[in-house]
Amino acid sequence: MNEWLMLTVVGEDRPGIVARLSRELVQAGAHLGEASMLRLGGSFTMMLMVRGDFAIDALREDLASVGESLALHIHIDPMTGDLHQHRVPEVRVHVHGADRVGIVAEVTEVLAGIGFDIFTLDSDVAGLHAAPIYVMQIEGVAADGVEAVEAALAPLRVQGIDVRVEGIETLVG
């Protein structure tokens, strides 16, 4: 069995996308690994680890008809990862502020500057159309703990960005 490949799919959301793709992957002899699927702004997105005894170009050909029939953009890349590589996040950062250009860059640059490793970042725009509120949640590992993250992000509050930092309690065992 070959190394894992990363299958990325983007398109207009509609019922049946996962069923058609997974059926085509089964018929190609693909073993499915970890996956993440969600809707963003009404569009379907998916990242899926796959592997099997096939060449990457053969898999692209196998999935081309599904992609065309459902108007999906399908991209396949080799990857170096493997299953069971999860690290557990230790810190969660909540961010709220009037929606404007640059919030994500400002927050993530501060986090990168203190060695914060981002595992997940979810965001949404809430509020009224005339007064949108940007809402973001980030989880990851902080090299120097929760207090260091809190101190590094505190200056952003002066710019109207509400930031709350908390440790994540993980029950293992």
Side-chain angles (χ1 to χ4, degrees):
M1 191 167 285
N2 293 334
E3 297 296 317
W4 288 104
L5 302 172
M6 181 61 70
L7 175 70
T8 307
V9 181
V10 177
E12 183 178 335
D13 191 29
R14 65 184 71 204
I17 292 174
V18 176
R20 289 276 314 274
L21 281 170
S22 60
R23 176 55 56 199
E24 196 66 35
L25 288 165
V26 166
Q27 291 172 348
H31 177 75
L32 308 184
E34 297 172 5
S36 180
M37 299 175 237
L38 67 148
R39 294 181 70 229
L40 294 173
S43 292
F44 173 86
T45 63
M46 177 174 74
M47 295 178 68
L48 171 67
M49 294 170 61
V50 299
R51 73 176 177 186
D53 293 324
F54 44 72
I56 192 169
D57 289 334
L59 185 59
R60 281 189 184 106
E61 288 179 27
D62 288 342
L63 298 177
S65 65
V66 174
E68 289 174 17
S69 68
L70 296 175
L72 299 171
H73 300 279
I74 299 175
H75 190 79
I76 305 171
D77 291 300
M79 62 177 285
T80 56
D82 200 353
L83 299 177
H84 314 292
Q85 302 295 311
H86 292 279
R87 292 174 58 199
V88 177
E90 300 170 344
V91 178
R92 181 176 296 123
V93 178
H94 302 271
V95 178
H96 297 84
D99 189 26
R100 61 173 172 76
V101 173
I103 292 175
V104 175
E106 293 167 18
V107 172
T108 57
E109 286 170 355
V110 169
L111 294 174
I114 60 169
F116 188 98
D117 191 1
I118 296 174
F119 294 176
T120 62
L121 184 156
D122 294 310
S123 68
D124 201 353
V125 178
L128 302 173
H129 190 70
I133 305 293
Y134 195 78
V135 179
M136 178 169 58
Q137 180 172 296
I138 298 170
E139 292 183 351
V141 171
D144 296 321
V146 172
E147 293 77 20
V149 176
E150 177 68 33
L153 292 172
L156 295 178
R157 292 186 179 111
V158 174
Q159 301 171 31
I161 301 173
D162 180 32
V163 179
R164 186 168 48 91
V165 181
E166 64 183 358
I168 299 173
E169 297 295 326
T170 303
L171 180 62
V172 177

mmCIF file of all heavy atoms in Angstrom, residues 7 9 33-38 44-49:
data_model
loop_
_atom_site.group_PDB
_atom_site.id
_atom_site.type_symbol
_atom_site.label_atom_id
_atom_site.label_comp_id
_atom_site.label_asym_id
_atom_site.label_seq_id
_atom_site.Cartn_x
_atom_site.Cartn_y
_atom_site.Cartn_z
ATOM 1 N N LEU A 7 -6.297 14.361 -0.130
ATOM 2 C CA LEU A 7 -7.334 14.693 -1.101
ATOM 3 C C LEU A 7 -8.055 15.937 -0.593
ATOM 4 O O LEU A 7 -8.564 15.948 0.526
ATOM 5 C CB LEU A 7 -8.312 13.520 -1.226
ATOM 6 C CG LEU A 7 -9.538 13.696 -2.086
ATOM 7 C CD1 LEU A 7 -9.134 13.757 -3.556
ATOM 8 C CD2 LEU A 7 -10.496 12.539 -1.857
ATOM 9 N N VAL A 9 -11.074 18.722 -1.501
ATOM 10 C CA VAL A 9 -12.259 18.890 -2.345
ATOM 11 C C VAL A 9 -12.953 20.190 -1.961
ATOM 12 O O VAL A 9 -13.186 20.448 -0.784
ATOM 13 C CB VAL A 9 -13.238 17.711 -2.164
ATOM 14 C CG1 VAL A 9 -14.459 17.882 -3.053
ATOM 15 C CG2 VAL A 9 -12.545 16.384 -2.427
ATOM 16 N N GLY A 33 -8.321 7.557 5.625
ATOM 17 C CA GLY A 33 -7.751 7.877 6.933
ATOM 18 C C GLY A 33 -8.539 8.990 7.589
ATOM 19 O O GLY A 33 -9.766 9.025 7.519
ATOM 20 N N GLU A 34 -7.857 9.919 8.189
ATOM 21 C CA GLU A 34 -8.511 11.035 8.872
ATOM 22 C C GLU A 34 -9.136 11.978 7.855
ATOM 23 O O GLU A 34 -8.621 12.138 6.747
ATOM 24 C CB GLU A 34 -7.487 11.777 9.716
ATOM 25 C CG GLU A 34 -6.897 10.912 10.817
ATOM 26 C CD GLU A 34 -5.738 11.583 11.522
ATOM 27 O OE1 GLU A 34 -5.433 12.764 11.234
ATOM 28 O OE2 GLU A 34 -5.137 10.928 12.371
ATOM 29 N N ALA A 35 -10.224 12.629 8.273
ATOM 30 C CA ALA A 35 -10.930 13.553 7.380
ATOM 31 C C ALA A 35 -11.455 14.740 8.164
ATOM 32 O O ALA A 35 -11.732 14.644 9.361
ATOM 33 C CB ALA A 35 -12.089 12.845 6.689
ATOM 34 N N SER A 36 -11.594 15.841 7.482
ATOM 35 C CA SER A 36 -12.238 17.010 8.037
ATOM 36 C C SER A 36 -13.116 17.590 6.941
ATOM 37 O O SER A 36 -12.641 17.876 5.844
ATOM 38 C CB SER A 36 -11.194 18.038 8.489
ATOM 39 O OG SER A 36 -11.839 19.170 9.030
ATOM 40 N N MET A 37 -14.409 17.715 7.235
ATOM 41 C CA MET A 37 -15.362 18.231 6.253
ATOM 42 C C MET A 37 -16.177 19.332 6.907
ATOM 43 O O MET A 37 -16.567 19.207 8.057
ATOM 44 C CB MET A 37 -16.310 17.123 5.800
ATOM 45 C CG MET A 37 -15.629 15.978 5.140
ATOM 46 S SD MET A 37 -16.791 14.659 4.783
ATOM 47 C CE MET A 37 -15.980 13.331 5.658
ATOM 48 N N LEU A 38 -16.449 20.393 6.180
ATOM 49 C CA LEU A 38 -17.306 21.448 6.699
ATOM 50 C C LEU A 38 -17.792 22.342 5.575
ATOM 51 O O LEU A 38 -17.330 22.243 4.445
ATOM 52 C CB LEU A 38 -16.584 22.266 7.766
ATOM 53 C CG LEU A 38 -15.406 23.100 7.308
ATOM 54 C CD1 LEU A 38 -15.324 24.340 8.179
ATOM 55 C CD2 LEU A 38 -14.128 22.313 7.452
ATOM 56 N N PHE A 44 -18.920 23.581 0.163
ATOM 57 C CA PHE A 44 -18.445 22.344 0.763
ATOM 58 C C PHE A 44 -16.927 22.305 0.675
ATOM 59 O O PHE A 44 -16.348 22.638 -0.364
ATOM 60 C CB PHE A 44 -19.047 21.151 0.001
ATOM 61 C CG PHE A 44 -18.502 19.820 0.428
ATOM 62 C CD1 PHE A 44 -19.058 19.145 1.500
ATOM 63 C CD2 PHE A 44 -17.439 19.242 -0.260
ATOM 64 C CE1 PHE A 44 -18.555 17.917 1.890
ATOM 65 C CE2 PHE A 44 -16.946 18.013 0.121
ATOM 66 C CZ PHE A 44 -17.494 17.348 1.198
ATOM 67 N N THR A 45 -16.282 21.900 1.775
ATOM 68 C CA THR A 45 -14.835 21.695 1.765
ATOM 69 C C THR A 45 -14.521 20.394 2.491
ATOM 70 O O THR A 45 -15.205 20.035 3.444
ATOM 71 C CB THR A 45 -14.074 22.841 2.467
ATOM 72 O OG1 THR A 45 -14.449 22.875 3.835
ATOM 73 C CG2 THR A 45 -14.352 24.171 1.820
ATOM 74 N N MET A 46 -13.511 19.706 2.018
ATOM 75 C CA MET A 46 -13.108 18.467 2.665
ATOM 76 C C MET A 46 -11.622 18.230 2.429
ATOM 77 O O MET A 46 -11.108 18.482 1.353
ATOM 78 C CB MET A 46 -13.892 17.273 2.105
ATOM 79 C CG MET A 46 -13.456 15.939 2.686
ATOM 80 S SD MET A 46 -14.469 14.528 2.163
ATOM 81 C CE MET A 46 -13.917 14.318 0.484
ATOM 82 N N MET A 47 -10.971 17.764 3.489
ATOM 83 C CA MET A 47 -9.610 17.259 3.376
ATOM 84 C C MET A 47 -9.658 15.837 3.903
ATOM 85 O O MET A 47 -10.240 15.587 4.967
ATOM 86 C CB MET A 47 -8.641 18.116 4.189
ATOM 87 C CG MET A 47 -8.534 19.532 3.663
ATOM 88 S SD MET A 47 -7.442 20.569 4.654
ATOM 89 C CE MET A 47 -5.872 19.814 4.319
ATOM 90 N N LEU A 48 -9.072 14.921 3.158
ATOM 91 C CA LEU A 48 -9.185 13.504 3.490
ATOM 92 C C LEU A 48 -7.881 12.790 3.165
ATOM 93 O O LEU A 48 -7.346 12.958 2.067
ATOM 94 C CB LEU A 48 -10.341 12.903 2.675
ATOM 95 C CG LEU A 48 -10.544 11.407 2.678
ATOM 96 C CD1 LEU A 48 -10.964 10.921 4.061
ATOM 97 C CD2 LEU A 48 -11.606 11.046 1.650
ATOM 98 N N MET A 49 -7.392 12.003 4.118
ATOM 99 C CA MET A 49 -6.212 11.171 3.874
ATOM 100 C C MET A 49 -6.669 9.892 3.177
ATOM 101 O O MET A 49 -7.611 9.245 3.638
ATOM 102 C CB MET A 49 -5.522 10.813 5.192
ATOM 103 C CG MET A 49 -4.920 11.994 5.923
ATOM 104 S SD MET A 49 -4.357 11.567 7.609
ATOM 105 C CE MET A 49 -3.115 10.317 7.270
#
